């Protein structure tokens, strides 16, 4: 019913920038909190960033603070992740996720109801 499709991944040099997009369809986008998670080979999926629908509050993992920015355009049903100053350790599959409003927890994997199929980001040194 809810579909999430990520795009914008690719190969970049360390220090470069990339913008990921996530298109949402199937429900009222503005009523969902949106998040980005990532999973590197051999690692668990980890929280990257989130943005609420109520106050547009943003949340970031310590590892990306100051480098990544999450935003949303409700008119376009799209959430973005602007990634600057990329490091090789940012290499991962990045997943867009959505959860219905209500919970005040944004960093936990199991809080999210819907997931995209992921987009690959590779940062070379």
């Amino acid at each position: 019913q809810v579909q999430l499709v990520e795009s914008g991944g690719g190969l970049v040099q360390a220090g470069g920038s990339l913008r990921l997009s996530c298109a949402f369809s199937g429900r009222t986008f503005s009523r969902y909190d949106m998040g980005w998670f990532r999973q590197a080979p051999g690692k668990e999926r980890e929280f990257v960033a989130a943005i609420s629908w109520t106050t547009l509050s943003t949340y970031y993992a310590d590892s990306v603070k100051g480098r990544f920015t999450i935003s949303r355009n409700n008119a376009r049903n799209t959430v973005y992740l602007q990634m600057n100053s990329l490091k090789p350790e940012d290499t991962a599959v990045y997943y867009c996720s959505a959860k219905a409003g209500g919970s005040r927890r944004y960093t936990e994997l199991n809080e999210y109801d819907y997931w995209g199929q992921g987009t690959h980001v590779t940062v070379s040194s």
Side-chain angles (χ1 to χ4, degrees):
Q1 191 169 23
V2 170
Q3 299 290 322
L4 301 173
V5 180
E6 304 96 334
S7 62
L11 174 65
V12 298
Q13 296 282 329
S17 297
L18 205 60
R19 189 184 75 162
L20 306 183
S21 298
C22 174
F24 177 106
S25 64
R27 297 287 180 89
T28 303
F29 174 72
S30 61
R31 300 296 182 179
Y32 283 79
D33 302 319
M34 302 297 296
W36 287 96
F37 290 74
R38 67 187 182 187
Q39 187 167 19
K43 295 184 178 180
E44 297 295 318
R45 191 170 299 186
E46 66 177 359
F47 170 76
V48 176
I51 185 166
S52 71
W53 72 268
T54 53
T55 63
L56 298 182
S57 298
T58 57
Y59 308 84
Y60 297 95
D62 289 342
S63 60
V64 306
K65 285 181 179 177
R67 299 189 299 120
F68 291 10
T69 302
I70 188 171
S71 62
R72 65 192 296 165
N73 187 326
N74 289 343
R76 298 185 63 86
N77 288 358
T78 304
V79 62
Y80 306 94
L81 184 68
Q82 178 66 47
M83 304 184 294
N84 299 325
S85 301
L86 283 162
K87 305 174 180 179
E89 50 262 46
D90 295 318
T91 296
V93 178
Y94 283 71
Y95 296 91
C96 178
S97 58
K99 72 181 186 74
S103 170
R104 303 299 178 89
R105 294 176 292 183
Y106 301 95
T107 65
E108 298 178 25
L109 180 69
N110 61 10
E111 287 291 322
Y112 290 82
D113 304 302
Y114 305 103
W115 296 85
Q117 61 188 357
T119 185
H120 287 260
V121 172
T122 301
V123 184
S124 61
S125 60

